[in-house]
mmCIF file with all atom_site columns, all heavy atoms in Angstrom:
data_model
loop_
_atom_site.group_PDB
_atom_site.id
_atom_site.type_symbol
_atom_site.label_atom_id
_atom_site.label_alt_id
_atom_site.label_comp_id
_atom_site.label_asym_id
_atom_site.label_entity_id
_atom_site.label_seq_id
_atom_site.pdbx_PDB_ins_code
_atom_site.Cartn_x
_atom_site.Cartn_y
_atom_site.Cartn_z
_atom_site.occupancy
_atom_site.B_iso_or_equiv
_atom_site.pdbx_formal_charge
_atom_site.auth_seq_id
_atom_site.auth_comp_id
_atom_site.auth_asym_id
_atom_site.auth_atom_id
_atom_site.pdbx_PDB_model_num
ATOM   1   N  N   . LYS A 1 111 ? -2.000  -26.284 -24.946 1.00 98.00 ? 111 LYS A N   1
ATOM   2   C  CA  . LYS A 1 111 ? -2.100  -25.489 -23.714 1.00 98.00 ? 111 LYS A CA  1
ATOM   3   C  C   . LYS A 1 111 ? -3.282  -25.942 -22.850 1.00 98.00 ? 111 LYS A C   1
ATOM   4   O  O   . LYS A 1 111 ? -3.864  -25.151 -22.127 1.00 98.00 ? 111 LYS A O   1
ATOM   5   C  CB  . LYS A 1 111 ? -2.257  -24.008 -24.089 1.00 98.00 ? 111 LYS A CB  1
ATOM   6   C  CG  . LYS A 1 111 ? -1.094  -23.401 -24.863 1.00 98.00 ? 111 LYS A CG  1
ATOM   7   C  CD  . LYS A 1 111 ? 0.081   -23.013 -23.984 1.00 98.00 ? 111 LYS A CD  1
ATOM   8   C  CE  . LYS A 1 111 ? -0.228  -21.866 -23.072 1.00 98.00 ? 111 LYS A CE  1
ATOM   9   N  NZ  . LYS A 1 111 ? 0.933   -21.452 -22.255 1.00 98.00 ? 111 LYS A NZ  1
ATOM   10  N  N   . LEU A 1 132 ? -11.603 -20.609 -19.111 1.00 98.00 ? 132 LEU A N   1
ATOM   11  C  CA  . LEU A 1 132 ? -10.884 -20.241 -20.331 1.00 98.00 ? 132 LEU A CA  1
ATOM   12  C  C   . LEU A 1 132 ? -9.361  -20.398 -20.250 1.00 98.00 ? 132 LEU A C   1
ATOM   13  O  O   . LEU A 1 132 ? -8.733  -20.921 -21.171 1.00 98.00 ? 132 LEU A O   1
ATOM   14  C  CB  . LEU A 1 132 ? -11.248 -18.781 -20.677 1.00 98.00 ? 132 LEU A CB  1
ATOM   15  C  CG  . LEU A 1 132 ? -10.467 -18.100 -21.791 1.00 98.00 ? 132 LEU A CG  1
ATOM   16  C  CD1 . LEU A 1 132 ? -10.589 -18.856 -23.106 1.00 98.00 ? 132 LEU A CD1 1
ATOM   17  C  CD2 . LEU A 1 132 ? -10.985 -16.667 -21.975 1.00 98.00 ? 132 LEU A CD2 1
ATOM   18  N  N   . HIS A 1 142 ? -13.038 -22.293 -26.302 1.00 98.00 ? 142 HIS A N   1
ATOM   19  C  CA  . HIS A 1 142 ? -11.985 -21.291 -26.105 1.00 98.00 ? 142 HIS A CA  1
ATOM   20  C  C   . HIS A 1 142 ? -12.312 -19.999 -26.850 1.00 98.00 ? 142 HIS A C   1
ATOM   21  O  O   . HIS A 1 142 ? -12.278 -18.909 -26.271 1.00 98.00 ? 142 HIS A O   1
ATOM   22  C  CB  . HIS A 1 142 ? -10.623 -21.852 -26.543 1.00 98.00 ? 142 HIS A CB  1
ATOM   23  C  CG  . HIS A 1 142 ? -9.515  -20.830 -26.480 1.00 98.00 ? 142 HIS A CG  1
ATOM   24  N  ND1 . HIS A 1 142 ? -9.202  -20.006 -27.536 1.00 98.00 ? 142 HIS A ND1 1
ATOM   25  C  CD2 . HIS A 1 142 ? -8.687  -20.473 -25.467 1.00 98.00 ? 142 HIS A CD2 1
ATOM   26  C  CE1 . HIS A 1 142 ? -8.219  -19.186 -27.173 1.00 98.00 ? 142 HIS A CE1 1
ATOM   27  N  NE2 . HIS A 1 142 ? -7.888  -19.466 -25.925 1.00 98.00 ? 142 HIS A NE2 1
ATOM   28  N  N   . LYS A 1 146 ? -13.230 -16.410 -25.074 1.00 98.00 ? 146 LYS A N   1
ATOM   29  C  CA  . LYS A 1 146 ? -12.281 -15.294 -25.241 1.00 98.00 ? 146 LYS A CA  1
ATOM   30  C  C   . LYS A 1 146 ? -12.994 -14.121 -25.916 1.00 98.00 ? 146 LYS A C   1
ATOM   31  O  O   . LYS A 1 146 ? -12.795 -12.960 -25.548 1.00 98.00 ? 146 LYS A O   1
ATOM   32  C  CB  . LYS A 1 146 ? -11.065 -15.748 -26.056 1.00 98.00 ? 146 LYS A CB  1
ATOM   33  C  CG  . LYS A 1 146 ? -9.865  -14.835 -25.846 1.00 98.00 ? 146 LYS A CG  1
ATOM   34  C  CD  . LYS A 1 146 ? -8.568  -15.483 -26.282 1.00 98.00 ? 146 LYS A CD  1
ATOM   35  C  CE  . LYS A 1 146 ? -7.367  -14.578 -26.016 1.00 98.00 ? 146 LYS A CE  1
ATOM   36  N  NZ  . LYS A 1 146 ? -6.116  -15.165 -26.449 1.00 98.00 ? 146 LYS A NZ  1
ATOM   37  N  N   . LEU A 1 149 ? -14.800 -12.170 -23.404 1.00 98.00 ? 149 LEU A N   1
ATOM   38  C  CA  . LEU A 1 149 ? -13.938 -11.247 -22.651 1.00 98.00 ? 149 LEU A CA  1
ATOM   39  C  C   . LEU A 1 149 ? -13.563 -10.024 -23.481 1.00 98.00 ? 149 LEU A C   1
ATOM   40  O  O   . LEU A 1 149 ? -13.462 -8.918  -22.952 1.00 98.00 ? 149 LEU A O   1
ATOM   41  C  CB  . LEU A 1 149 ? -12.685 -11.961 -22.142 1.00 98.00 ? 149 LEU A CB  1
ATOM   42  C  CG  . LEU A 1 149 ? -12.943 -12.976 -21.045 1.00 98.00 ? 149 LEU A CG  1
ATOM   43  C  CD1 . LEU A 1 149 ? -11.647 -13.458 -20.428 1.00 98.00 ? 149 LEU A CD1 1
ATOM   44  C  CD2 . LEU A 1 149 ? -13.827 -12.410 -19.941 1.00 98.00 ? 149 LEU A CD2 1
ATOM   45  N  N   . ASN A 1 299 ? -7.124  -13.427 -13.155 1.00 98.00 ? 299 ASN A N   1
ATOM   46  C  CA  . ASN A 1 299 ? -6.289  -12.835 -14.209 1.00 98.00 ? 299 ASN A CA  1
ATOM   47  C  C   . ASN A 1 299 ? -6.008  -11.359 -13.934 1.00 98.00 ? 299 ASN A C   1
ATOM   48  O  O   . ASN A 1 299 ? -4.852  -10.925 -13.905 1.00 98.00 ? 299 ASN A O   1
ATOM   49  C  CB  . ASN A 1 299 ? -6.969  -12.944 -15.583 1.00 98.00 ? 299 ASN A CB  1
ATOM   50  C  CG  . ASN A 1 299 ? -7.208  -14.371 -16.065 1.00 98.00 ? 299 ASN A CG  1
ATOM   51  O  OD1 . ASN A 1 299 ? -8.331  -14.752 -16.322 1.00 98.00 ? 299 ASN A OD1 1
ATOM   52  N  ND2 . ASN A 1 299 ? -6.164  -15.174 -16.186 1.00 98.00 ? 299 ASN A ND2 1
ATOM   53  N  N   . SER A 1 300 ? -7.063  -10.569 -13.718 1.00 98.00 ? 300 SER A N   1
ATOM   54  C  CA  . SER A 1 300 ? -6.876  -9.110  -13.666 1.00 98.00 ? 300 SER A CA  1
ATOM   55  C  C   . SER A 1 300 ? -6.393  -8.644  -12.300 1.00 98.00 ? 300 SER A C   1
ATOM   56  O  O   . SER A 1 300 ? -5.343  -8.005  -12.187 1.00 98.00 ? 300 SER A O   1
ATOM   57  C  CB  . SER A 1 300 ? -8.194  -8.389  -13.986 1.00 98.00 ? 300 SER A CB  1
ATOM   58  O  OG  . SER A 1 300 ? -8.731  -8.839  -15.194 1.00 98.00 ? 300 SER A OG  1
ATOM   59  N  N   . GLY A 1 303 ? -3.019  -10.136 -11.496 1.00 98.00 ? 303 GLY A N   1
ATOM   60  C  CA  . GLY A 1 303 ? -1.936  -9.543  -12.289 1.00 98.00 ? 303 GLY A CA  1
ATOM   61  C  C   . GLY A 1 303 ? -1.582  -8.142  -11.814 1.00 98.00 ? 303 GLY A C   1
ATOM   62  O  O   . GLY A 1 303 ? -0.407  -7.826  -11.592 1.00 98.00 ? 303 GLY A O   1
ATOM   63  N  N   . PRO A 1 365 ? 5.411   -10.196 -14.421 1.00 98.00 ? 365 PRO A N   1
ATOM   64  C  CA  . PRO A 1 365 ? 4.580   -10.581 -13.278 1.00 98.00 ? 365 PRO A CA  1
ATOM   65  C  C   . PRO A 1 365 ? 4.147   -12.050 -13.280 1.00 98.00 ? 365 PRO A C   1
ATOM   66  O  O   . PRO A 1 365 ? 3.962   -12.631 -12.215 1.00 98.00 ? 365 PRO A O   1
ATOM   67  C  CB  . PRO A 1 365 ? 3.359   -9.676  -13.366 1.00 98.00 ? 365 PRO A CB  1
ATOM   68  C  CG  . PRO A 1 365 ? 3.518   -8.845  -14.587 1.00 98.00 ? 365 PRO A CG  1
ATOM   69  C  CD  . PRO A 1 365 ? 4.829   -9.110  -15.215 1.00 98.00 ? 365 PRO A CD  1
ATOM   70  N  N   . GLN A 1 369 ? 5.518   -20.231 -17.922 1.00 98.00 ? 369 GLN A N   1
ATOM   71  C  CA  . GLN A 1 369 ? 4.612   -20.650 -18.985 1.00 98.00 ? 369 GLN A CA  1
ATOM   72  C  C   . GLN A 1 369 ? 4.897   -22.117 -19.316 1.00 98.00 ? 369 GLN A C   1
ATOM   73  O  O   . GLN A 1 369 ? 6.061   -22.536 -19.293 1.00 98.00 ? 369 GLN A O   1
ATOM   74  C  CB  . GLN A 1 369 ? 4.805   -19.797 -20.238 1.00 98.00 ? 369 GLN A CB  1
ATOM   75  C  CG  . GLN A 1 369 ? 3.899   -18.577 -20.281 1.00 98.00 ? 369 GLN A CG  1
ATOM   76  C  CD  . GLN A 1 369 ? 4.484   -17.391 -19.544 1.00 98.00 ? 369 GLN A CD  1
ATOM   77  O  OE1 . GLN A 1 369 ? 5.605   -16.990 -19.796 1.00 98.00 ? 369 GLN A OE1 1
ATOM   78  N  NE2 . GLN A 1 369 ? 3.719   -16.822 -18.617 1.00 98.00 ? 369 GLN A NE2 1
ATOM   79  N  N   . TRP A 1 433 ? 5.570   -10.434 -21.448 1.00 98.00 ? 433 TRP A N   1
ATOM   80  C  CA  . TRP A 1 433 ? 4.741   -10.655 -20.259 1.00 98.00 ? 433 TRP A CA  1
ATOM   81  C  C   . TRP A 1 433 ? 3.355   -11.205 -20.580 1.00 98.00 ? 433 TRP A C   1
ATOM   82  O  O   . TRP A 1 433 ? 2.751   -11.908 -19.770 1.00 98.00 ? 433 TRP A O   1
ATOM   83  C  CB  . TRP A 1 433 ? 4.589   -9.338  -19.466 1.00 98.00 ? 433 TRP A CB  1
ATOM   84  C  CG  . TRP A 1 433 ? 3.728   -8.339  -20.176 1.00 98.00 ? 433 TRP A CG  1
ATOM   85  C  CD1 . TRP A 1 433 ? 4.144   -7.375  -21.038 1.00 98.00 ? 433 TRP A CD1 1
ATOM   86  C  CD2 . TRP A 1 433 ? 2.295   -8.238  -20.119 1.00 98.00 ? 433 TRP A CD2 1
ATOM   87  N  NE1 . TRP A 1 433 ? 3.076   -6.677  -21.531 1.00 98.00 ? 433 TRP A NE1 1
ATOM   88  C  CE2 . TRP A 1 433 ? 1.919   -7.196  -20.983 1.00 98.00 ? 433 TRP A CE2 1
ATOM   89  C  CE3 . TRP A 1 433 ? 1.285   -8.928  -19.434 1.00 98.00 ? 433 TRP A CE3 1
ATOM   90  C  CZ2 . TRP A 1 433 ? 0.588   -6.815  -21.178 1.00 98.00 ? 433 TRP A CZ2 1
ATOM   91  C  CZ3 . TRP A 1 433 ? -0.037  -8.545  -19.634 1.00 98.00 ? 433 TRP A CZ3 1
ATOM   92  C  CH2 . TRP A 1 433 ? -0.369  -7.508  -20.486 1.00 98.00 ? 433 TRP A CH2 1
ATOM   93  N  N   . ASN A 1 435 ? 2.360   -13.417 -22.604 1.00 98.00 ? 435 ASN A N   1
ATOM   94  C  CA  . ASN A 1 435 ? 2.368   -14.725 -23.265 1.00 98.00 ? 435 ASN A CA  1
ATOM   95  C  C   . ASN A 1 435 ? 2.370   -14.550 -24.778 1.00 98.00 ? 435 ASN A C   1
ATOM   96  O  O   . ASN A 1 435 ? 1.688   -15.265 -25.516 1.00 98.00 ? 435 ASN A O   1
ATOM   97  C  CB  . ASN A 1 435 ? 1.165   -15.574 -22.826 1.00 98.00 ? 435 ASN A CB  1
ATOM   98  C  CG  . ASN A 1 435 ? 1.354   -17.052 -23.118 1.00 98.00 ? 435 ASN A CG  1
ATOM   99  O  OD1 . ASN A 1 435 ? 2.448   -17.569 -22.975 1.00 98.00 ? 435 ASN A OD1 1
ATOM   100 N  ND2 . ASN A 1 435 ? 0.294   -17.715 -23.538 1.00 98.00 ? 435 ASN A ND2 1
ATOM   101 N  N   . ASP A 1 446 ? -5.259  -17.807 -30.322 1.00 98.00 ? 446 ASP A N   1
ATOM   102 C  CA  . ASP A 1 446 ? -4.002  -18.024 -29.590 1.00 98.00 ? 446 ASP A CA  1
ATOM   103 C  C   . ASP A 1 446 ? -4.234  -17.966 -28.085 1.00 98.00 ? 446 ASP A C   1
ATOM   104 O  O   . ASP A 1 446 ? -5.372  -17.861 -27.633 1.00 98.00 ? 446 ASP A O   1
ATOM   105 C  CB  . ASP A 1 446 ? -2.939  -17.001 -30.046 1.00 98.00 ? 446 ASP A CB  1
ATOM   106 C  CG  . ASP A 1 446 ? -3.346  -15.569 -29.742 1.00 98.00 ? 446 ASP A CG  1
ATOM   107 O  OD1 . ASP A 1 446 ? -4.077  -15.342 -28.745 1.00 98.00 ? 446 ASP A OD1 1
ATOM   108 O  OD2 . ASP A 1 446 ? -2.950  -14.668 -30.500 1.00 98.00 ? 446 ASP A OD2 1
ATOM   109 N  N   . LYS A 1 447 ? -3.134  -18.025 -27.316 1.00 98.00 ? 447 LYS A N   1
ATOM   110 C  CA  . LYS A 1 447 ? -3.250  -18.007 -25.850 1.00 98.00 ? 447 LYS A CA  1
ATOM   111 C  C   . LYS A 1 447 ? -2.645  -16.728 -25.272 1.00 98.00 ? 447 LYS A C   1
ATOM   112 O  O   . LYS A 1 447 ? -2.320  -16.673 -24.086 1.00 98.00 ? 447 LYS A O   1
ATOM   113 C  CB  . LYS A 1 447 ? -2.552  -19.236 -25.252 1.00 98.00 ? 447 LYS A CB  1
ATOM   114 C  CG  . LYS A 1 447 ? -3.300  -20.535 -25.443 1.00 98.00 ? 447 LYS A CG  1
ATOM   115 C  CD  . LYS A 1 447 ? -4.616  -20.603 -24.679 1.00 98.00 ? 447 LYS A CD  1
ATOM   116 C  CE  . LYS A 1 447 ? -4.449  -20.808 -23.203 1.00 98.00 ? 447 LYS A CE  1
ATOM   117 N  NZ  . LYS A 1 447 ? -5.770  -20.859 -22.506 1.00 98.00 ? 447 LYS A NZ  1
ATOM   118 N  N   . CYS A 1 449 ? -2.538  -13.139 -23.604 1.00 98.00 ? 449 CYS A N   1
ATOM   119 C  CA  . CYS A 1 449 ? -3.424  -12.549 -22.589 1.00 98.00 ? 449 CYS A CA  1
ATOM   120 C  C   . CYS A 1 449 ? -4.528  -11.706 -23.239 1.00 98.00 ? 449 CYS A C   1
ATOM   121 O  O   . CYS A 1 449 ? -4.248  -10.763 -23.983 1.00 98.00 ? 449 CYS A O   1
ATOM   122 C  CB  . CYS A 1 449 ? -2.595  -11.674 -21.655 1.00 98.00 ? 449 CYS A CB  1
ATOM   123 S  SG  . CYS A 1 449 ? -3.599  -10.782 -20.465 1.00 98.00 ? 449 CYS A SG  1
ATOM   124 N  N   . ALA A 1 450 ? -5.784  -12.050 -22.896 1.00 98.00 ? 450 ALA A N   1
ATOM   125 C  CA  . ALA A 1 450 ? -6.928  -11.328 -23.467 1.00 98.00 ? 450 ALA A CA  1
ATOM   126 C  C   . ALA A 1 450 ? -6.907  -9.866  -23.040 1.00 98.00 ? 450 ALA A C   1
ATOM   127 O  O   . ALA A 1 450 ? -7.413  -8.990  -23.737 1.00 98.00 ? 450 ALA A O   1
ATOM   128 C  CB  . ALA A 1 450 ? -8.221  -11.993 -23.019 1.00 98.00 ? 450 ALA A CB  1
ATOM   129 N  N   . GLY A 1 451 ? -6.330  -9.585  -21.879 1.00 98.00 ? 451 GLY A N   1
ATOM   130 C  CA  . GLY A 1 451 ? -6.359  -8.224  -21.342 1.00 98.00 ? 451 GLY A CA  1
ATOM   131 C  C   . GLY A 1 451 ? -5.120  -7.411  -21.683 1.00 98.00 ? 451 GLY A C   1
ATOM   132 O  O   . GLY A 1 451 ? -4.854  -6.386  -21.054 1.00 98.00 ? 451 GLY A O   1
ATOM   133 N  N   . PHE A 1 454 ? -5.583  -3.636  -22.232 1.00 98.00 ? 454 PHE A N   1
ATOM   134 C  CA  . PHE A 1 454 ? -6.113  -3.056  -20.995 1.00 98.00 ? 454 PHE A CA  1
ATOM   135 C  C   . PHE A 1 454 ? -5.011  -2.926  -19.942 1.00 98.00 ? 454 PHE A C   1
ATOM   136 O  O   . PHE A 1 454 ? -4.873  -1.895  -19.275 1.00 98.00 ? 454 PHE A O   1
ATOM   137 C  CB  . PHE A 1 454 ? -7.250  -3.961  -20.493 1.00 98.00 ? 454 PHE A CB  1
ATOM   138 C  CG  . PHE A 1 454 ? -7.817  -3.561  -19.154 1.00 98.00 ? 454 PHE A CG  1
ATOM   139 C  CD1 . PHE A 1 454 ? -8.836  -2.627  -19.068 1.00 98.00 ? 454 PHE A CD1 1
ATOM   140 C  CD2 . PHE A 1 454 ? -7.346  -4.146  -17.984 1.00 98.00 ? 454 PHE A CD2 1
ATOM   141 C  CE1 . PHE A 1 454 ? -9.358  -2.261  -17.833 1.00 98.00 ? 454 PHE A CE1 1
ATOM   142 C  CE2 . PHE A 1 454 ? -7.862  -3.791  -16.747 1.00 98.00 ? 454 PHE A CE2 1
ATOM   143 C  CZ  . PHE A 1 454 ? -8.879  -2.844  -16.669 1.00 98.00 ? 454 PHE A CZ  1
ATOM   144 N  N   . VAL A 1 455 ? -4.202  -3.965  -19.826 1.00 98.00 ? 455 VAL A N   1
ATOM   145 C  CA  . VAL A 1 455 ? -3.138  -3.971  -18.812 1.00 98.00 ? 455 VAL A CA  1
ATOM   146 C  C   . VAL A 1 455 ? -2.099  -2.888  -19.123 1.00 98.00 ? 455 VAL A C   1
ATOM   147 O  O   . VAL A 1 455 ? -1.655  -2.156  -18.230 1.00 98.00 ? 455 VAL A O   1
ATOM   148 C  CB  . VAL A 1 455 ? -2.463  -5.359  -18.735 1.00 98.00 ? 455 VAL A CB  1
ATOM   149 C  CG1 . VAL A 1 455 ? -1.244  -5.331  -17.839 1.00 98.00 ? 455 VAL A CG1 1
ATOM   150 C  CG2 . VAL A 1 455 ? -3.450  -6.400  -18.250 1.00 98.00 ? 455 VAL A CG2 1
HETATM 151 C  C1  . HEM B 2 .   ? -0.767  -7.421  -15.024 1.00 60.87 ? 1   HEM B C1  1
HETATM 152 C  C2  . HEM B 2 .   ? -1.828  -8.066  -15.434 1.00 60.87 ? 1   HEM B C2  1
HETATM 153 C  C3  . HEM B 2 .   ? -1.813  -9.334  -16.235 1.00 60.87 ? 1   HEM B C3  1
HETATM 154 C  C4  . HEM B 2 .   ? -0.791  -10.190 -16.532 1.00 60.87 ? 1   HEM B C4  1
HETATM 155 C  C5  . HEM B 2 .   ? 0.662   -10.098 -16.114 1.00 60.87 ? 1   HEM B C5  1
HETATM 156 C  C6  . HEM B 2 .   ? -1.340  -11.250 -17.345 1.00 60.87 ? 1   HEM B C6  1
HETATM 157 C  C7  . HEM B 2 .   ? -0.591  -12.298 -17.878 1.00 60.87 ? 1   HEM B C7  1
HETATM 158 C  C8  . HEM B 2 .   ? -1.132  -13.337 -18.588 1.00 60.87 ? 1   HEM B C8  1
HETATM 159 C  C9  . HEM B 2 .   ? -0.383  -14.477 -19.062 1.00 60.87 ? 1   HEM B C9  1
HETATM 160 C  C10 . HEM B 2 .   ? 1.116   -14.706 -18.877 1.00 60.87 ? 1   HEM B C10 1
HETATM 161 C  C11 . HEM B 2 .   ? -1.247  -15.312 -19.694 1.00 60.87 ? 1   HEM B C11 1
HETATM 162 C  C12 . HEM B 2 .   ? -0.927  -16.651 -20.349 1.00 60.87 ? 1   HEM B C12 1
HETATM 163 C  C13 . HEM B 2 .   ? -0.932  -17.783 -19.381 1.00 60.87 ? 1   HEM B C13 1
HETATM 164 C  C14 . HEM B 2 .   ? -0.619  -19.083 -20.082 1.00 60.87 ? 1   HEM B C14 1
HETATM 165 O  O1  . HEM B 2 .   ? -1.483  -19.586 -20.818 1.00 60.87 ? 1   HEM B O1  1
HETATM 166 O  O2  . HEM B 2 .   ? 0.489   -19.596 -19.919 1.00 60.87 ? 1   HEM B O2  1
HETATM 167 C  C15 . HEM B 2 .   ? -2.536  -14.691 -19.625 1.00 60.87 ? 1   HEM B C15 1
HETATM 168 C  C16 . HEM B 2 .   ? -3.676  -15.256 -20.147 1.00 60.87 ? 1   HEM B C16 1
HETATM 169 C  C17 . HEM B 2 .   ? -4.910  -14.680 -20.001 1.00 60.87 ? 1   HEM B C17 1
HETATM 170 N  N1  . HEM B 2 .   ? -5.203  -13.458 -19.456 1.00 60.87 ? 1   HEM B N1  1
HETATM 171 FE FE1 . HEM B 2 .   ? -3.917  -12.162 -18.645 1.00 60.87 ? 1   HEM B FE1 1
HETATM 172 N  N2  . HEM B 2 .   ? -2.661  -11.023 -17.532 1.00 60.87 ? 1   HEM B N2  1
HETATM 173 C  C18 . HEM B 2 .   ? -2.994  -9.867  -16.884 1.00 60.87 ? 1   HEM B C18 1
HETATM 174 C  C19 . HEM B 2 .   ? -4.228  -9.271  -16.855 1.00 60.87 ? 1   HEM B C19 1
HETATM 175 C  C20 . HEM B 2 .   ? -5.347  -9.726  -17.486 1.00 60.87 ? 1   HEM B C20 1
HETATM 176 C  C21 . HEM B 2 .   ? -6.590  -9.010  -17.582 1.00 60.87 ? 1   HEM B C21 1
HETATM 177 C  C22 . HEM B 2 .   ? -6.865  -7.580  -17.101 1.00 60.87 ? 1   HEM B C22 1
HETATM 178 C  C23 . HEM B 2 .   ? -7.454  -9.826  -18.202 1.00 60.87 ? 1   HEM B C23 1
HETATM 179 C  C24 . HEM B 2 .   ? -8.868  -9.433  -18.493 1.00 60.87 ? 1   HEM B C24 1
HETATM 180 C  C25 . HEM B 2 .   ? -9.660  -9.851  -19.324 1.00 60.87 ? 1   HEM B C25 1
HETATM 181 C  C26 . HEM B 2 .   ? -6.743  -11.062 -18.521 1.00 60.87 ? 1   HEM B C26 1
HETATM 182 C  C27 . HEM B 2 .   ? -7.276  -12.180 -19.129 1.00 60.87 ? 1   HEM B C27 1
HETATM 183 C  C28 . HEM B 2 .   ? -6.560  -13.277 -19.528 1.00 60.87 ? 1   HEM B C28 1
HETATM 184 C  C29 . HEM B 2 .   ? -7.158  -14.441 -20.152 1.00 60.87 ? 1   HEM B C29 1
HETATM 185 C  C30 . HEM B 2 .   ? -8.621  -14.658 -20.410 1.00 60.87 ? 1   HEM B C30 1
HETATM 186 C  C31 . HEM B 2 .   ? -6.128  -15.320 -20.458 1.00 60.87 ? 1   HEM B C31 1
HETATM 187 C  C32 . HEM B 2 .   ? -6.248  -16.666 -21.182 1.00 60.87 ? 1   HEM B C32 1
HETATM 188 C  C33 . HEM B 2 .   ? -6.189  -16.372 -22.663 1.00 60.87 ? 1   HEM B C33 1
HETATM 189 C  C34 . HEM B 2 .   ? -6.537  -17.550 -23.526 1.00 60.87 ? 1   HEM B C34 1
HETATM 190 O  O3  . HEM B 2 .   ? -6.970  -18.579 -23.013 1.00 60.87 ? 1   HEM B O3  1
HETATM 191 O  O4  . HEM B 2 .   ? -6.426  -17.436 -24.747 1.00 60.87 ? 1   HEM B O4  1
HETATM 192 N  N3  . HEM B 2 .   ? -5.470  -10.954 -18.084 1.00 60.87 ? 1   HEM B N3  1
HETATM 193 N  N4  . HEM B 2 .   ? -2.438  -13.489 -18.974 1.00 60.87 ? 1   HEM B N4  1
#
Side-chain angles (χ1 to χ4, degrees):
K111 298 280 292 182
L132 171 59
H142 175 271
K146 200 162 182 181
L149 290 190
N299 297 122
S300 307
Q369 269 86 53
W433 70 268
N435 198 38
D446 63 30
K447 286 293 286 180
C449 175
F454 175 87
V455 172

